[in-house]
């Protein structure tokens, strides 16, 4: 590059001409351009940093939202499946001690302690164990046995203590209700299903049925004919006979 | 401007956090209610059954306690004996009435054995015996 004043050879970075001392206009332009570029660069750099920061913050929030959506879905599944989850743990705990429970049930049945076996079955939630499915028929009858027994006991105590008849807790109605249920269960076809009845349980079922008959005869003062007719009667019909015999 | 651009996301985060906390609390409550297990009947509740002459419930609760492997206190053992007494007195009359004398005699023996262990509840044994006509027959 040549100096416009003396024609001497100058470089762009020379502030003045080294030969005549004339200020180098190209240098000034160059300096201005450099300052402009530097400013532009700084601005671009700041913009890039800000954009990156903004994107980072946005992505962070989106990530948190995604995490929360997943957590909500899992919590919802937990809520809807809480019974199944608890049941799964309960069943596996029962299965771990299945033989103990089975021998406990067998012992109570052998002793003829049908109230005891019914309580044992429900107190230990044994109805949820697949391994004890073949106890379900005997437990159905035990349920009726306990229900009829409870009603008859209510009747006995109410009569002995001369309790006034309660509109919401009428022992005769309670017994009639359970006898009707008993007859409908014991005559149902599923009752004799072998899958639901363990071998040897027929004996306990027969014993419970006989005891239900005997206790109803003894404490409700019914005749054999009454008993036979109960099988075909509605709850109201059974209740009517029970009340007539009690009078 | 920055705040404005994220306000929707912040609201979403807040709502999702609240719903997660609520669902978690519901889940815990449901787990607790589903894993409910029976607790044994103590002396107070057994006393209530005896006082109201609800002996069958006493029998039921004693059986339930046994099923849960509960070890009764000395006082509670008296209630257990009374439950035994009632259950067998009931059966005694039933068997006797239906001509099963051997079974009736076995039940009467249990009543007599249990009676000795009823302690301060022995007055209730008299009530039970009268109820099932044991004194006259024994």
């Amino acid at each position: 590059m040549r100096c416009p004043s003396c024609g001497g050879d100058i470089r762009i970075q020379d502030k003045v001409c080294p030969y005549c001392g004339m200020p180098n206009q190209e240098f000034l332009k160059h300096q201005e351009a450099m300052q402009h570029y530097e400013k532009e660069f700084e601005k671009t750099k700041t913009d890039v940093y800000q954009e990156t920061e903004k994107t980072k913050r946005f992505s962070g929030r989106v990530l948190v939202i995604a995490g929360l959506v997943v957590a909500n879905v899992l919590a919802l599944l937990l809520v809807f499946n809480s019974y199944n989850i608890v049941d799964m743990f309960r069943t596996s705990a029962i299965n771990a001690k299945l033989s103990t429970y089975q021998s406990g049930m067998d012992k109570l049945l052998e002793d003829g302690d049908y109230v005891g076996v019914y309580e044992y079955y429900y107190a230990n939630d044994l109805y949820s164990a697949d391994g004890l499915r073949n106890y379900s028929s005997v437990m159905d009858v035990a349920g009726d046995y306990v229900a009829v027994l409870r009603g008859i006991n209510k009747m006995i105590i109410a009569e002995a203590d001369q309790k006034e008849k309660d509109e919401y807790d009428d022992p005769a109605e309670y017994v009639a209700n359970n006898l009707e249920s008993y007859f409908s269960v014991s005559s149902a076809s599923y009752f004799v299903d072998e899958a639901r009845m363990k071998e040897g349980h027929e004996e306990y079922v027969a014993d419970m049925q006989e005891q239900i008959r005997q206790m109803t005869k003894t404490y409700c003062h019914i005749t054999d004919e009454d008993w036979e007719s109960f099988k075909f009667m509605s709850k109201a019909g059974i209740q009517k006979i029970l009340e007539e015999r009690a009078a | 401007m920055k705040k404005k651009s994220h306000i929707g996301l912040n609201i979403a985060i807040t709502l999702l956090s609240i719903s997660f906390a609520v669902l978690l609390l519901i889940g815990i409550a449901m787990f607790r209610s589903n894993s409910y297990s029976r607790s044994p009947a103590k002396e107070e509740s057994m006393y209530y059954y005896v006082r109201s002459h609800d002996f069958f419930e006493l029998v039921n609760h004693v059986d339930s306690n046994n099923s849960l492997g509960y070890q009764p206190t000395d006082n509670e053992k008296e209630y257990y004996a009374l439950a035994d007494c009632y259950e067998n007195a009931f059966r005694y009359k039933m068997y006797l009435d239906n001509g099963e004398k051997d079974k009736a005699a076995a039940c009467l023996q249990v009543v007599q054995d249990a009676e000795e262990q009823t302690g301060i509840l022995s007055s209730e044994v008299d009530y039970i015996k009268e109820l099932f006509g044991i004194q006259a027959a024994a």
Side-chain angles (χ1 to χ4, degrees):
Chain A
M1 200 168 74
R2 302 258 166 217
C3 173
S5 172
C6 67
D9 201 14
I10 55 171
R11 293 171 304 165
I12 197 163
Q13 60 267 42
D14 291 336
K15 204 171 179 180
V16 293
C17 174
Y19 304 104
C20 68
M22 180 79 174
N24 183 358
Q25 292 302 316
E26 290 302 318
F27 168 76
L28 293 171
K29 279 183 194 165
H30 173 67
Q31 202 178 27
E32 268 175 29
M34 283 306 287
Q35 279 172 353
H36 174 74
Y37 292 140
E38 260 173 39
K39 265 188 194 168
E40 281 292 307
F41 173 73
E42 282 305 320
K43 189 177 172 295
T44 309
K45 199 168 107 181
T46 310
D47 284 353
V48 168
Y49 277 132
Q50 279 178 349
E51 273 307 308
T52 311
E53 201 57 36
K54 211 170 140 184
T55 311
K56 263 167 79 179
R57 277 203 297 268
F58 179 79
S59 317
R61 280 175 170 76
V62 168
L63 217 64
V64 169
I65 288 173
L68 280 167
V69 168
V70 171
N72 271 277
V73 170
L74 289 176
L76 209 63
L77 286 173
L78 207 72
V79 168
F80 283 118
N81 291 298
S82 63
Y83 178 79
N84 292 336
I85 295 168
V86 170
D87 194 47
M88 194 179 74
F89 282 113
R90 185 185 287 146
T91 307
S92 70
I94 292 169
N95 286 338
K97 293 202 289 179
L98 197 65
S99 59
T100 310
Y101 287 129
Q102 203 162 336
S103 51
M105 300 254 299
D106 290 342
K107 170 84 174 58
L108 289 164
L109 284 168
E110 270 170 41
D111 293 347
D113 187 356
Y114 304 123
V115 180
V117 78
Y118 183 76
E119 284 302 317
Y120 189 82
Y121 189 68
Y122 283 98
N124 293 298
D125 302 317
L126 302 182
Y127 46 84
S128 51
D130 284 337
L132 295 173
R133 285 274 181 263
N134 52 1
Y135 282 76
S136 57
S137 280
V138 82
M139 282 303 116
D140 281 343
V141 186
D144 285 322
Y145 175 88
V146 170
V148 173
L149 193 55
R150 176 178 279 119
I152 288 175
N153 277 284
K154 276 173 187 267
M155 285 177 83
I156 294 169
I157 300 298
E159 195 184 321
D161 293 354
Q162 294 185 326
K163 285 182 182 170
E164 277 187 34
K165 201 171 166 182
D166 185 341
E167 189 185 343
Y168 302 105
D169 189 20
D170 180 353
E173 187 184 350
Y174 190 88
V175 174
N177 205 13
N178 287 301
L179 279 176
E180 191 210 17
S181 156
Y182 161 69
F183 284 120
S184 60
V185 168
S186 59
S187 61
S189 57
Y190 73 82
F191 181 73
V192 288
D193 182 354
E194 282 179 13
R196 301 181 82 242
M197 175 87 94
K198 198 180 169 194
E199 205 183 323
H201 280 187
E202 299 88 350
E203 179 194 334
Y204 305 129
V205 167
D207 188 33
M208 277 189 277
Q209 288 175 327
E210 177 57 16
Q211 282 195 38
I212 291 172
R213 190 186 70 83
Q214 287 187 359
M215 68 175 86
T216 313
K217 270 185 72 181
T218 300
Y219 294 108
C220 303
H221 316 292
I222 60 153
T223 62
D224 286 329
E225 291 74 37
D226 290 336
W227 179 257
E228 287 305 314
S229 64
F230 281 177
K231 293 176 185 173
F232 314 103
M233 276 186 181
S234 65
K235 181 192 126 186
I238 297 173
Q239 187 179 342
K240 188 170 175 288
I241 290 185
L242 289 177
E243 283 169 347
E244 277 173 12
R245 299 291 179 260
Chain B
M1 185 70 187
K2 276 179 208 164
K3 275 186 184 173
K4 225 175 182 180
S5 65
H6 292 307
I7 199 156
L9 296 178
N10 289 341
I11 289 170
I13 288 172
T14 311
L15 290 177
L16 283 168
S17 302
I18 292 169
S19 81
F20 176 66
V22 170
L23 284 172
L24 210 62
L25 287 175
I26 293 172
I28 291 167
M30 286 185 78
F31 264 97
R32 289 184 68 172
S33 75
N34 286 330
S35 48
Y36 163 81
S37 58
R38 283 199 211 185
S39 50
K42 299 289 174 64
E43 191 181 348
E44 293 75 29
S45 50
M46 290 196 276
Y47 171 72
Y48 168 78
Y49 294 129
V50 171
R51 203 181 58 175
S52 55
H53 285 166
D54 203 347
F55 296 107
F56 180 72
E57 289 310 317
L58 180 70
V59 172
N60 239 336
H61 281 81
V62 167
D63 281 332
S64 179
N65 282 7
N66 288 334
S67 302
L68 297 168
Y70 174 71
Q71 294 298 317
T73 62
D74 285 345
N75 283 351
E76 285 165 355
K77 279 178 186 166
E78 293 175 359
Y79 289 89
Y80 278 41
L82 189 68
D84 235 6
C85 215
Y86 182 82
E87 196 178 7
N88 283 282
F90 177 91
R91 285 164 178 262
Y92 162 77
K93 190 179 176 185
M94 180 183 82
Y95 286 136
L96 198 68
D97 198 55
N98 287 280
E100 298 199 57
K101 287 185 181 167
D102 290 346
K103 285 183 179 178
C107 288
L108 185 62
Q109 188 59 50
V110 177
V111 172
Q112 284 162 348
D113 292 346
E115 185 182 359
E116 292 166 15
Q117 297 159 40
T118 51
I120 57 161
L121 301 171
S122 58
S123 60
E124 298 297 336
V125 178
D126 294 337
Y127 172 88
I128 291 169
K129 280 171 140 184
E130 200 184 325
L131 196 62
F132 296 105
I134 289 182
Q135 270 156 335

